[in-house]
Amino acid sequence: MAMDKAVLTCAGLLLAYVEDLDDTFKDGRGDEVWLVEKLEPVWQEVGAELKSSGSLVNVGKMDATAYSGDLAYNYRGARTKDDIIEFANRVAGPVVRSLPSKQMFEHVVGRHNVLFVYIGGESPLKEKYIEVASELIVFTYFFSAAEDILPKEVTLQEIPSVAVFKDGTYFLYDEYRDGELSSWVNKERFLGYLAIDGFTLYELGETGKLVAIAVIDEKNPTEESTRYKALIHRLATEYRDHFSRDFQFGHMDGNDYINGLIMGEVAVPSIIVLNTSNDQYFLPDEPLETMEQLLHFINSVVDGSAQVSGPREFIHYTRAMAQGGDSMFQRAKRVAYNARSTVMSVFRSSPLLGCFLFGLPLGIISLMCYGICTAESDDGVEEAEVLKTEELAENRVNEEEEEEEGVDEGWRGGTELQGSGGEEEEEEEEEEEEEKEGEQQHEEKSSLDKKVD
């Protein structure tokens, strides 16, 4: 029972550090710094940690899309407590923090993996530096210092200058060589060698660099995977001056994300170079066992050809062919691949749900297609009816003509019969008259004979 009360008390304290905000938040915020998001239960842990550390950052939760202040920074890092707290403390203070002493300088260098420092007084370069810091404060720290607080090993070519401290050393900004300050800062805000995940790879896409990755399985390390990781790490540190402007180096645990990116299968362990700006990728033709082979492969990616190690009389050249890309064919392939991946993931997680979600619509579509293919169109029905009507009318006309022809023939036949019968009667009447005349003549002759006697 006591344990339950303790748990409830801790939960209540955690909730007390995160305030629910409404539409009146914008008007009543004033100049206070607020960290607003919806992340449970990490958000409660962030609120408790910031409160216990005495931070000036307040923590709340609300519909963040309904509010945007003059200085509202969107967090784009990993969703872990430590990363969120570091982001909150970074954006809560000045955009450019001042380093007043050597002790403070050594403290921030030891605390942060990457930090930028402006050295000098007021100048146009400082104005640009403050502008870049206001834009990229969500990613890294920006400081300013006088020349005398820097360690003796830091040698400046000119004053004012901008330097980045990382990987145990420092690198100076050269406007002629590096171009715009914002572009240089965006490229240099990463360590030379990183443990890369999907989010980091997405962020690296904004640098415009190629990303050379050793794909390994950290849970089941092998001699080959250890060698690949060591080769990439050596390349990042020993050859930084040669490749840092064009390449970012690191390793990735597992090949799931890479497989989805290239829409294929990458062996584990292996080395791959990604061009995140256009989705191209490069794979070596053979296993890379030495630093010389890795150097030749990297060079072939940069300039298209590289000298392969071997006896002097057998030296030849190879070319790293780019695969993938963002052509129309690759985009269509990407759509099909994503659809297939979605369907497969649904069936793996819940086969019955997958059958219902995809089987039912497919069945309905199939029935509709069958009905469309087998049913006669309205135009076809009307044409058939018209043809049938015309055929019936034509048959009626033919029958009427045949009947009329039969009547005419019968009338003509009857007329001929009547004509032949009349002629026969006339002949009979003539014969009877002739007989009567003969009889009269005979009687007259007989009477004359009697008179003579």
Side-chain angles (χ1 to χ4, degrees):
M1 188 66 180
M3 180 64 68
D4 293 340
K5 290 183 178 179
V7 171
L8 291 174
T9 303
C10 291
L13 289 174
L14 287 174
L15 290 173
Y17 299 138
V18 180
E19 299 185 27
D20 290 321
L21 306 176
D22 54 21
D23 296 338
T24 62
F25 163 70
K26 182 177 180 180
D27 298 331
R29 181 177 69 91
D31 296 330
E32 294 179 342
V33 180
W34 282 84
L35 191 62
V36 180
E37 183 52 280
K38 290 184 177 180
L39 292 172
E40 300 286 353
V42 175
W43 208 235
Q44 306 295 340
E45 299 176 4
V46 170
E49 182 73 18
L50 289 174
K51 198 71 174 180
S52 61
S53 65
S55 174
L56 297 177
V57 178
N58 300 289
V59 181
K61 58 181 180 179
M62 66 175 296
D63 182 6
T65 60
Y67 170 79
S68 59
D70 296 334
L71 287 176
Y73 298 104
N74 294 324
Y75 177 64
R76 299 166 61 182
R79 264 51 177 172
T80 63
K81 183 188 73 172
D82 293 338
D83 291 325
I84 294 174
I85 290 175
E86 183 180 2
F87 164 79
N89 290 326
R90 184 166 62 244
V91 300
V95 174
V96 178
R97 292 171 167 84
S98 177
L99 298 176
S101 64
K102 290 185 178 180
Q103 291 79 7
M104 182 63 69
F105 177 83
E106 293 175 356
H107 172 73
V108 297
V109 169
R111 181 178 179 183
H112 305 301
N113 294 326
V114 180
L115 65 133
F116 292 86
V117 180
Y118 171 83
I119 303 104
E122 298 296 329
S123 68
L125 180 61
K126 186 175 183 180
E127 294 179 0
K128 291 183 179 178
Y129 181 76
I130 294 174
E131 182 180 348
V132 172
S134 300
E135 178 184 356
L136 300 178
I137 187 66
V138 296
F139 298 117
T140 188
Y141 287 90
F142 295 87
F143 297 91
S144 64
E147 182 181 7
D148 57 357
I149 71 163
L150 299 178
K152 295 181 179 180
E153 59 269 18
V154 178
T155 304
L156 302 178
Q157 299 177 353
E158 60 181 359
I159 298 293
S161 292
V162 177
V164 57
F165 291 84
K166 64 178 184 178
D167 298 325
T169 184
Y170 69 97
F171 307 96
L172 298 175
Y173 166 67
D174 187 332
E175 184 177 4
Y176 177 78
R177 179 193 62 198
D178 301 317
E180 292 292 332
L181 179 62
S182 60
S183 176
W184 179 76
V185 171
N186 195 42
K187 290 181 179 180
E188 294 293 339
R189 63 187 177 89
F190 297 97
L191 293 171
Y193 183 88
L194 296 170
I196 299 175
D197 55 15
F199 178 79
T200 306
L201 194 59
Y202 173 79
E203 290 292 313
L204 289 171
E206 298 182 358
T207 66
K209 290 184 177 182
L210 299 172
V211 186
I213 303 174
V215 184
I216 61 175
D217 185 357
E218 293 185 332
K219 296 179 180 179
N220 300 299
T222 62
E223 182 180 352
E224 189 177 12
S225 64
T226 303
R227 181 176 72 250
Y228 283 160
K229 184 178 179 180
L231 286 174
I232 292 293
H233 190 271
R234 280 187 57 195
L235 190 65
T237 54
E238 297 178 11
Y239 295 88
R240 186 192 188 282
D241 294 338
H242 295 83
F243 301 115
S244 62
R245 296 185 64 187
D246 300 315
F247 283 88
Q248 176 65 50
F249 300 96
H251 71 273
M252 178 175 284
D253 183 19
N255 63 351
D256 292 339
Y257 188 86
I258 297 293
N259 290 344
L261 192 65
I262 69 172
M263 297 178 289
E265 185 76 19
V266 176
V268 179
S270 64
I271 291 178
I272 185 173
V273 175
L274 299 175
N275 186 343
T276 55
S277 62
N278 60 7
D279 294 335
Q280 287 184 341
Y281 63 95
F282 304 82
L283 291 170
D285 296 333
E286 57 186 5
L288 303 177
E289 299 181 355
T290 63
M291 178 58 70
E292 288 75 15
Q293 289 178 322
L294 179 58
L295 285 172
H296 293 316
F297 170 62
I298 295 297
N299 282 322
S300 70
V301 173
V302 175
D303 54 27
S305 63
Q307 192 173 7
V308 178
S309 60
R312 186 177 300 275
E313 62 273 18
F314 295 107
I315 288 178
H316 62 283
Y317 291 85
T318 186
R319 181 177 178 85
M321 299 299 295
Q323 305 179 57
D326 57 355
S327 63
M328 292 300 296
F329 173 76
Q330 290 295 328
R331 293 178 184 178
K333 184 179 178 182
R334 169 71 60 186
V335 172
Y337 179 85
N338 290 338
R340 176 179 174 273
S341 300
T342 302
V343 173
M344 294 299 295
S345 63
V346 171
F347 275 97
R348 288 194 192 99
S349 59
S350 179
L352 294 178
L353 179 61
C355 292
F356 176 77
L357 291 178
F358 298 102
L360 182 61
L362 288 176
I364 295 174
I365 294 173
S366 299
L367 292 175
M368 293 175 62
C369 293
Y370 176 78
I372 292 172
C373 295
T374 55
E376 295 183 357
S377 64
D378 295 338
D379 294 339
V381 173
E382 292 179 358
E383 291 178 359
E385 291 179 352
V386 170
L387 292 175
K388 187 175 180 180
T389 303
E390 292 178 352
E391 185 178 356
L392 292 173
E394 186 177 355
N395 292 335
R396 290 176 182 174
V397 171
N398 293 335
E399 291 176 357
E400 291 177 356
E401 291 178 353
E402 290 177 357
E403 290 178 356
E404 290 178 357
E405 291 178 356
V407 171
D408 291 341
E409 290 179 355
W411 180 79
R412 290 173 185 172
T415 304
E416 290 178 355
L417 291 173
Q418 291 175 359
S420 60
E423 292 177 355
E424 291 179 353
E425 290 179 353
E426 291 178 355
E427 291 178 355
E428 290 178 354
E429 290 178 354
E430 290 178 355
E431 290 178 354
E432 289 178 353
E433 290 178 354
E434 289 178 356
E435 288 179 356
K436 287 179 178 181
E437 290 178 356
E439 290 178 353
Q440 290 177 358
Q441 291 177 1
H442 181 70
E443 288 178 354
E444 289 178 357
K445 187 178 179 181
S446 298
S447 64
L448 290 176
D449 289 342
K450 285 178 177 182
K451 288 178 177 182
V452 172
D453 294 338

